[in-house]
Amino acid sequence: MAGGVRGALSPDREWSRGDRAKAAAKLMAGWVALLWILEVIDVASGNALDDFGIMPRSVPELIDVVPASFIHFGFGHVAANSVPLLVLGFLAALGGLRRFVAVCALIIVADGLGVWLISPDNTNTAGASGVVFGLFGFLVVGGFVERRLLGVGVGVLVAAIWGGAILGGIAPTETGISWQGHLIGLVTGVVSAFLFRRRQPRGALTA
């Protein structure tokens, strides 16, 4: 019993790379599965869960700041977020689950509050895209901030694959999407890369 508890609470750095990969994969598979389950419930209930989206500048809507990131408007919406969330989340979680949870919590709360504050009137915003944009920013910047060669390589690869979509998603000219939520998520992800960086000796460049 004592050994199990000690293992469960041990720092992320004590895990092997294989353990981290398995844990990251399970976490993200469970997260994406939850989004699909919630959307099935939403459709079956006549879109009752859509009320958990964020309507701006209404004080009662502040309770939806966190739930909104897990609600989507149709299967097409959740499908569009599933693959990038799964891949980007997996890559980010490889750096440590505790840090990953902290990064995601900050992105979700900051993005939700930002949407509540600056989104246009009479809109309802929900979806995991703010988290996706945040994880993109975190991964692209993180390797450079920490001066880790592997992290830099991951960031460059992520930017090459999703960079065009990210730029399009923050364009104010796009209709039918919350570019405000995308932009706030992206900025929060970049900030998170600095706030939660792993310290390196000055001048060091590691793998």
Side-chain angles (χ1 to χ4, degrees):
M1 177 66 73
V5 172
R6 185 168 59 251
L9 298 179
S10 60
D12 289 318
R13 63 177 177 272
E14 296 182 11
W15 289 27
S16 70
R17 289 185 178 182
D19 289 338
R20 286 191 185 186
K22 290 177 183 178
K26 290 178 180 178
L27 174 62
M28 294 315 303
W31 189 340
V32 171
L34 173 62
L35 299 185
W36 281 90
I37 290 170
L38 289 173
E39 187 54 33
V40 169
I41 294 173
D42 187 37
V43 172
S45 64
N47 299 320
L49 298 186
D50 288 359
D51 288 341
F52 288 98
I54 301 171
M55 297 181 183
R57 293 170 296 283
S58 171
V59 174
E61 289 293 310
L62 286 171
I63 63 173
D64 294 331
V65 161
V66 173
S69 291
F70 299 87
I71 304 301
H72 291 80
F73 301 134
F75 291 116
H77 188 197
V78 70
N81 285 329
S82 292
V83 172
L85 178 63
L86 184 65
V87 176
L88 298 179
F90 173 76
L91 292 174
L94 287 176
L97 294 185
R98 292 183 179 183
R99 183 173 72 154
F100 174 73
V101 170
V103 168
C104 288
L106 177 60
I107 292 170
I108 288 171
V109 173
D111 190 54
L113 289 174
V115 165
W116 180 85
L117 184 63
I118 70 172
S119 285
D121 292 332
N122 303 315
T123 57
N124 187 15
T125 302
S129 56
V131 179
V132 169
F133 277 67
L135 290 175
F136 174 89
F138 175 77
L139 287 169
V140 169
V141 174
F144 294 96
V145 171
E146 297 181 354
R147 298 179 60 82
R148 291 178 180 268
L149 292 175
L150 181 59
V152 171
V154 169
V156 171
L157 180 62
V158 165
I161 295 174
W162 278 289
I166 294 297
L167 290 176
I170 61 175
T173 55
E174 290 290 328
T175 59
I177 65 169
S178 175
W179 66 266
Q180 298 92 341
H182 293 171
L183 180 59
I184 296 168
L186 179 63
V187 171
T188 306
V190 171
V191 171
S192 296
F194 287 89
L195 290 178
F196 298 104
R197 67 186 181 276
R198 292 169 291 192
R199 302 285 182 176
Q200 298 292 334
R202 183 176 295 276
L205 184 62
T206 65

